Amino acid sequence: NAGVIQTPRHKVTGKGQEATLWCEPISGHSAVFWYRQTIVQGLEFLTYFRNQAPIDDSGMPKERFSAQMPNQSHSTLKIQSTQPQDSAVYLCASSLAENTEVFFGKGTRLTVV
Amino acid sequence: AQKVTQTQTSISVMEKTTVTMDCVYETQDSSYFLFWYKQTASGEIVFLIRQDSYKKENATVGHYSLNFQKPKSSIGLIITATQIEDSAVYFCAMREHDSGYNKLTFGKGTVLLVSP
């Protein structure tokens, strides 16, 4: 069990460019989460998939952020027209079921310059 | 309103002592799950221990244990025989039925510094 795998670990983009972050959840886990962490806001929920279906995207900034889960082994978070305020650590996590603990990947540190 | 509150911003202890970190939560649900996580200096978030709301017994894993006081909506983390490597940020989190268990709501975290 390699845990939740996130790539890349670091990404630097220019303002206005697109950034795509990748996540491979733990095999067999039906629930996948995306979180964002900053010093100011702490850990913020972005979106949630269950059995690959998008269930809750209440934390996603509506305009430029999107997430997909095309198959059970990976999910992507795409940020269009990145802005400096998007700079953060983006964390993917998965859990076996709704009532079990959530395991986190090591995160992708996004820096928008 | 904050649903998960950790009032202690930071705690400093000497190695081999016992430390307790506080956490209170708000929920209307009868069914919920409480978790503690540790974020290391490298940024990695590690699951430590969980408490199911319907269980009366306090959970224990290794040198981590919980003090679950349901009437007070409180779930304290107790670390016994602390070690230098326990220095980290500790987060309390809740997963509740009201949100469809769709999210893990975190507190702001408590920084623990263990000195030799």
Side-chain angles (χ1 to χ4, degrees):
Chain A
N1 183 353
V4 176
I5 299 171
Q6 289 189 250
T7 55
R9 293 294 315 281
H10 302 272
K11 186 172 184 66
V12 180
T13 63
K15 183 179 173 181
Q17 291 184 328
E18 182 178 287
T20 300
L21 312 180
W22 297 77
C23 170
E24 180 180 333
I26 294 172
S27 178
H29 281 198
S30 63
V32 174
F33 306 77
W34 283 95
Y35 279 80
R36 175 168 66 179
Q37 186 177 30
T38 60
I39 298 292
V40 174
Q41 298 295 332
L43 281 157
E44 297 178 276
F45 168 80
L46 294 176
T47 190
Y48 170 75
F49 294 85
R50 186 189 305 140
N51 294 320
Q52 297 173 234
I55 302 296
D56 183 348
D57 66 354
S58 59
M60 292 276 272
K62 295 304 177 193
E63 302 247 325
R64 300 179 291 104
F65 285 60
S66 62
Q68 294 183 326
M69 191 161 184
N71 57 60
Q72 63 184 10
S73 63
H74 93 270
S75 176
T76 57
L77 179 68
K78 185 178 292 186
I79 308 171
Q80 294 178 313
S81 186
T82 54
Q83 302 298 309
Q85 61 265 29
D86 298 331
S87 297
V89 176
Y90 290 82
L91 293 151
C92 180
S94 69
S95 68
L96 186 62
E98 293 177 342
N99 60 347
T100 60
E101 47 272 25
V102 178
F103 295 92
F104 284 80
K106 294 184 178 180
T108 294
R109 181 176 294 279
L110 176 67
T111 302
V112 182
V113 298
Chain B
Q2 237 177 318
K3 283 203 156 189
V4 179
T5 304
Q6 297 177 251
T7 55
Q8 300 156 305
T9 305
S10 64
I11 302 174
S12 293
V13 300
M14 300 299 291
E15 194 179 11
K16 300 177 185 175
T17 60
T18 295
V19 64
T20 299
M21 281 176 265
D22 301 329
C23 175
V24 293
Y25 56 90
E26 295 177 33
T27 182
Q28 304 298 322
D29 289 334
S30 58
S31 175
Y32 51 92
F33 304 93
L34 300 164
F35 305 89
W36 279 90
Y37 287 84
K38 167 184 178 181
Q39 187 166 34
T40 63
S42 67
E44 192 172 356
I45 297 176
V46 179
F47 163 71
L48 296 177
I49 190 169
R50 68 181 271 181
Q51 180 77 41
D52 300 348
S53 61
Y54 57 87
K55 291 187 177 178
K56 293 185 178 179
E57 310 80 37
N58 288 321
T60 298
V61 176
H63 74 145
Y64 303 108
S65 60
L66 297 177
N67 180 16
F68 181 41
Q69 299 184 60
K70 195 170 183 179
K72 295 184 178 180
S73 295
S74 170
I75 183 74
L77 173 69
I78 303 166
I79 308 176
T80 57
T82 51
Q83 303 163 6
I84 302 296
E85 51 267 34
D86 291 325
S87 297
V89 181
Y90 288 80
F91 292 96
C92 175
M94 175 172 65
R95 199 170 180 183
E96 58 186 324
H97 181 268
D98 186 44
S99 68
Y101 303 117
N102 293 347
K103 64 181 71 171
L104 202 55
T105 303
F106 285 89
K108 294 292 186 183
T110 297
V111 176
L112 175 66
L113 178 61
V114 182
S115 303

